[in-house]
C-alpha cells in the first residue's frame, strides 16, 4: 500500500475526533519548529473546522468493538498501519511547508494497549530525537497501557489525553462494552499528578460524543464540571454523533445534533471563563439547553431582575454576565472607565459589539432606547430574531462561540 | 499650537517619519498632512520638506515612549491606511501626554482609529502565519508567495525565522514586488529586480503537495459540510496561494 493510500485511510478514521487546538504550550524551540502560545489555524476543512494539526491514527486496526466507531473489529474495512518513519516523513514535510502546526496522533488498539502505545512512542521519539521536531504534538493515551509507557509518552508530547467518549457509565456499557471509565480516569489522574515540567506542558483534554445515548445536557455538563474540577482538564470537546455504522443499539438520526453541540461549547465556555456553575444554567426542571438562544442570553432572560447593568459601575464579574460582553470587552471597560465616563458611543469606539449587549446595559443611566421596552418579551423576541436572520443567511458560526 | 496649511514630506522610511513627527511636535506645528516624498500634490496643496538633522534612533525612541507604543506606531506605519502618517502624528502627541495609559483612551478618536488599524495589521499577519504555503525548490530553499493588504513581509518573516531557523527561505510579496530572504542568520528585504529568478521545484514537491491535498479532502466530514463557515474563516482572497483549495471553484 502506498503512502497516499495509507494517509487517506488513517486520516479518514481520525477525523471524528474533535480536538484540534494547538495552543497553550510553553514556548519550545528545536532545530525545526516551535510552539506558539496563540493557536494558529493553517486551513479550514469543507465542514468549516480549523485544521491545525496533522490528525491521523497510527493504525485503524482494533481489537475492540465499540458500536459507534468506524474502526471497530466487526467492520470489514481497509486496514492500514503507519511505520514510525512514515509518520515523521509526513510531519516534517508538512511542517516545513507550513501546512500544519504539529501532529495529533491517536490509534486503534492493535494487539494490546501496551503494544499500541509502544508503536506511538517509537514514532514520536523518532520525530523529537532524530528529526529534532519542536512543534506541537497531541497524543491520545491508550486506556489500559502501563504507567511506565504513559510517563514516556507524556515526556515527549505537549498534550496527552484520553477520551471518556460517553457521559455516563451506562452509556459506555451499552455502546463500548470493551471500555470502562476506570481506565480513562486512571490516565487522567496520572497526568494530573505528574508535576514534572517537561511532562505534558499543554495539559490534558477529553472528548464526549453527543447524542448517541440518552443523556441530558445537564448530565453532560455535570460530567464536564466534575472533570474540570477533578483532573484540571484544559478542554472538554463535544462531538455531535454522526452515524457511521448501523446497530440496533444506536439511535437513528438524519442529521448530527450540531446546534446542541454548539450550545454545549458555549456553556462550557461559561464554566471555564465566566465563573458560571452548571447549576446556574441548567437544573432538573430545565435539563436541556434552549436551542433558540445561547446559554448566557437564556440565563440573563431568566434573571432579568439583575439587569440592566450600569457599564460605569458593574463589577468585572457582573460585566461578564452580560450577553455579548466577553473577557476582552469587560477588561477594556474596567480599565477605561477610570479615565472617563463611558457612553454608548464610546463603547462602539472601544470596539465593543452592542448587538446583544445593548438590551442588558445602561451607560451613565441611559438605556439604548425607551427604558419601558426593558421587558422579557421585547428582548427575547429581538434576540431570537437576530439569530434567525443569521441562520437564514446560513452564517452559522460554528467555532466562534459567542458574538463578542 | 498653530495650524499650518502645509503637507510635510518625509523620505518614506520609518525613522525619518518618526523624526519628522517629533520635530513637528517640538515646533508645535499641526500639519495639514504628512506624506512620503513620492506624493503628488494637487494644485491647491503646498508641500514642504523640513531639515531633520537632529535625529533620534529607534532605541532612543523606545526609551522616550515605550516598547508597546513603538509597536503600535510600527504597525501603523506598515498598514495600508492612506492617512497613517497623520494618525501616527496624533497618536504620538497623545502618547507624550498619557504614556501607556493611552491604551485605555479609546474615547479619543485618533486613538480608537490607531488601535483599530494596529489590530487589523496584527490580524492579517496572524492569518498569514497559518495560510502561507512554502514550496521546496531544487536547491532545498523554501519559497512562498503572498499578497497581503498591509506591508507585513518583515514581521511575518520574523515569525518564520524562529520557526524554521535551520532552513533557507524566501517570501515574496507579489503586490509590492519585494522579497524577504532568510539565510539562516539574517532576514534581508530586497526588491524584485535585484533578485535572481526562482529555480525549479524539487523533485519531491509535487508528491508532498499531493499528499497534503488528499489529507485535506479526507479530513472534512461530509455530514457537517458548511461552506459558509469555511469562507468566514478562510475568505476567498487568500485562496490563490493556499494549495489545497486553489484549484477549487
Ligand atoms: S477502541 Fe473503540 S473507539 Fe477506539 S478505535 Fe477501537 S473500536 Fe474505535
Amino acid at each position: 500500500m502506498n503512502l497516499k493510500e495509507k494517509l487517506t485511510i488513517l486520516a479518514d478514521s481520525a477525523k471524528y475526533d474533535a480536538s484540534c487546538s494547538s495552543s497553550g504550550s510553553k514556548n519550545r524551540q528545536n532545530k525545526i519548529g516551535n510552539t506558539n502560545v496563540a493557536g494558529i489555524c493553517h486551513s479550514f476543512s469543507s465542514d468549516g473546522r480549523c485544521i491545525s494539526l496533522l490528525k491521523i491514527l497510527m493504525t485503524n486496526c482494533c481489537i475492540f468493538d465499540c458500536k459507534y466507531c468506524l474502526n471497530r473489529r466487526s467492520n470489514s474495512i481497509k486496514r492500514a498501519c503507519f511505520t514510525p518513519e512514515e509518520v515523521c516523513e509526513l510531519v516534517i514535510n508538512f511542517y516545513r511547508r507550513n501546512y500544519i502546526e504539529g501532529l495529533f496522533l491517536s490509534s486503534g488498539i492493535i494487539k494490546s494497549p501496551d503494544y499500541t502505545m509502544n508503536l506511538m512512542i517509537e514514532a514520536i521519539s523518532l520525530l523529537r530525537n532524530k528529526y529534532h521536531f519542536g512543534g506541537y504534538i497531541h497524543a491520545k493515551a491508550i486506556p489500559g497501557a502501563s504507567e511506565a509507557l504513559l510517563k514516556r509518552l507524556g515526556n515527549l508530547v505537549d498534550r496527552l489525553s484520553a477520551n471518556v467518549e460517553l457521559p455516563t457509565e451506562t452509556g459506555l456499557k451499552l455502546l463500548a462494552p470493551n471500555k470502562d471509565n476506570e481506565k480513562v480516569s486512571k490516565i487522567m489522574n496520572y497526568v494530573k499528578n505528574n508535576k514534572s515540567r517537561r511532562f505534558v506542558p499543554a495539559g490534558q483534554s477529553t472528548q464526549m460524543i453527543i447524542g448517541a445515548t440518552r443523556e441530558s445536557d445537564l448530565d453532560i455538563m455535570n460530567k464536564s464540571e466534575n472533570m474540570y474540577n477533578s483532573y484540571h482538564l484544559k478542554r472538554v470537546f463535544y462531538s455531535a454523533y454522526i452515524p457511521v455504522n448501523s446497530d440496533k443499539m444506536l439511535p437513528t438520526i438524519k442529521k448530527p445534533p450540531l446546534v446542541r453541540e454548539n450550545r454545549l461549547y458555549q456553556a462550557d465556555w461559561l464554566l471555564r471563563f465566566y465563573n458560571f456553575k452548571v447549576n446556574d444554567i441548567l437544573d432538573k426542571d430545565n435539563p436541556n439547553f434552549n436551542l433558540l438562544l445561547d446559554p448566557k442570553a437564556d440565563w440573563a432572560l431568566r434573571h432579568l431582575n439583575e439587569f440592566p447593568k450600569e457599564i460605569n459601575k458593574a463589577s468585572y464579574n457582573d460585566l461578564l454576565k452580560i450577553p455579548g460582553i466577553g473577557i476582552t470587552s469587560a477588561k477594556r471597560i474596567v480599565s477605561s472607565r477610570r479615565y472617563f465616563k463611558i457612553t454608548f458611543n464610546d463603547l462602539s469606539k472601544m470596539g465593543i459589539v452592542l448587538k446583544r449587549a445593548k438590551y442588558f446595559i445602561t451607560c451613565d443611566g441611559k438605556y439604548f432606547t425607551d427604558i419601558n421596552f426593558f421587558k422579557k418579551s421585547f428582548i427575547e423576541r429581538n434576540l431570537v430574531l437576530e439569530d434567525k436572520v443569521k441562520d437564514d443567511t446560513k452564517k452559522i458560526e460554528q467555532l466562534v462561540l459567542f458574538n463578542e | 499650537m498653530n495650524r499650518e496649511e502645509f503637507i510635510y514630506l518625509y523620505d518614506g522610511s520609518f525613522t525619518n517619519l518618526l523624526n519628522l513627527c517629533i520635530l513637528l511636535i517640538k515646533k508645535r506645528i499641526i500639519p495639514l498632512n504628512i506624506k512620503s516624498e513620492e506624493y503628488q500634490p494637487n494644485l491647491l496643496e503646498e508641500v514642504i520638506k523640513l531639515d531633520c538633522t537632529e535625529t533620534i534612533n529607534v532605541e532612543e525612541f523606545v526609551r522616550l515612549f515605550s516598547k508597546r507604543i513603538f509597536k503600535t506606531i510600527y504597525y501603523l506605519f506598515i498598514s495600508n491606511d492612506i492617512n497613517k502618517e497623520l494618525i501616527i502624528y496624533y497618536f504620538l502627541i497623545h502618547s507624550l501626554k498619557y504614556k501607556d495609559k493611552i491604551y485605555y483612551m479609546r474615547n479619543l478618536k485618533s486613538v480608537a482609529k490607531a488601535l483599530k488599524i494596529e489590530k487589523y495589521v496584527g490580524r492579517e499577519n496572524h492569518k498569514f502565519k497559518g495560510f502561507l504555503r512554502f514550496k521546496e525548490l531544487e536547491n532545498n530553499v523554501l519559497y512562498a508567495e503572498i499578497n497581503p493588504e498591509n506591508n507585513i513581509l518583515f514581521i511575518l518573516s520574523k515569525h518564520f525565522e524562529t520557526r524554521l531557523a535551520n532552513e533557507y527561505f524566501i517570501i515574496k510579496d507579489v503586490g509590492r514586488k519585494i522579497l524577504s530572504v532568510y539565510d539562516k542568520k539574517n532576514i534581508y528585504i530586497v526588491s524584485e529586480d535585484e533578485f535572481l529568478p526562482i529555480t525549479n521545484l524539487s523533485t519531491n514537491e509535487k508528491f508532498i503537495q499531493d499528499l497534503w491535498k488528499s489529507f485535506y479532502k479526507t479530513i472534512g466530514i461530509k455530514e457537517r459540510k458548511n461552506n459558509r463557515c469555511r469562507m468566514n474563516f478562510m475568505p476567498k482572497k487568500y485562496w490563490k496561494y493556499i494549495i489545497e483549495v486553489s484549484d477549487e471553484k
Side-chain angles (χ1 to χ4, degrees), chain A residues 57 61-66 68-73 107-109 165 179:
Chain A
L57 299 188
C61 299
C62 195
I63 54 174
F64 280 6
D65 206 37
C66 308
Y68 50 82
C69 178
L70 188 65
N71 308 319
R72 62 179 183 177
R73 187 185 56 214
S107 187
I109 303 171
E165 306 289 15
K179 288 190 174 173

Side-chain angles (χ1 to χ4, degrees), chain A residues 29 42 44 47 96 101, chain B residues 133 136 162-163 216 221:
Chain A
Q29 178 82 43
H42 287 257
F44 288 87
D47 49 30
R96 285 179 70 228
E101 216 39 35
Chain B
R133 296 285 177 270
E136 190 187 60
T162 30
R163 169 153 294 194
Y216 179 79
I221 297 177

Side-chain angles (χ1 to χ4, degrees), chain B residues 48-183:
Chain B
I48 183 169
K49 203 162 180 210
L50 292 185
D51 178 25
C52 291
T53 36
E54 223 183 288
T55 57
I56 66 166
N57 61 27
V58 167
E59 282 83 48
E60 285 165 323
F61 181 86
V62 173
R63 222 176 305 127
L64 195 61
F65 293 89
S66 74
K67 251 197 165 137
R68 176 86 176 83
I69 289 170
F70 179 76
K71 189 200 148 209
T72 306
I73 301 286
Y74 184 71
Y75 273 43
L76 285 168
F77 177 71
I78 62 175
S79 80
N80 65 351
D81 195 287
I82 43 166
N83 286 316
K84 62 185 185 187
E85 290 90 352
L86 210 54
I87 297 168
I88 289 177
Y89 168 84
Y90 280 108
F91 192 80
L92 284 177
I93 289 188
H94 291 308
S95 304
L96 279 174
K97 184 160 163 209
Y98 297 112
K99 297 282 174 322
D100 269 358
K101 279 187 199 133
I102 192 163
Y103 292 99
Y104 307 130
M105 307 302 282
R106 284 173 205 255
N107 56 331
L108 303 171
K109 226 172 101 199
S110 54
V111 175
K113 178 91 189 156
L115 298 184
K116 210 170 143 194
I117 297 170
E118 181 189 19
K119 191 169 167 196
Y120 162 67
V121 173
R123 213 177 252 176
E124 184 174 44
N125 187 42
H126 188 77
K127 286 257 184 203
F128 274 103
K129 284 182 190 174
F131 293 157
L132 176 142
R133 296 285 177 270
F134 281 115
K135 295 177 171 145
E136 190 187 60
L137 304 178
E138 251 170 5
N139 46 12
N140 243 345
V141 172
L142 297 170
Y143 173 72
E145 293 183 347
I146 55 172
N147 202 357
E149 272 157 31
N150 303 294
N151 191 1
I152 56 170
L153 186 62
F154 184 69
I155 52 172
L156 185 63
S157 302
K158 282 305 241 187
H159 164 78
F160 287 107
E161 177 186 20
T162 30
R163 169 153 294 194
L164 299 170
N166 276 316
E167 303 274 354
Y168 294 102
F169 68 76
I170 300 168
I171 304 172
K172 177 173 181 180
D173 181 333
V174 178
R176 291 181 180 78
K177 298 187 166 51
I178 49 174
L179 301 96
S180 76
V181 180
Y182 173 69
D183 66 354

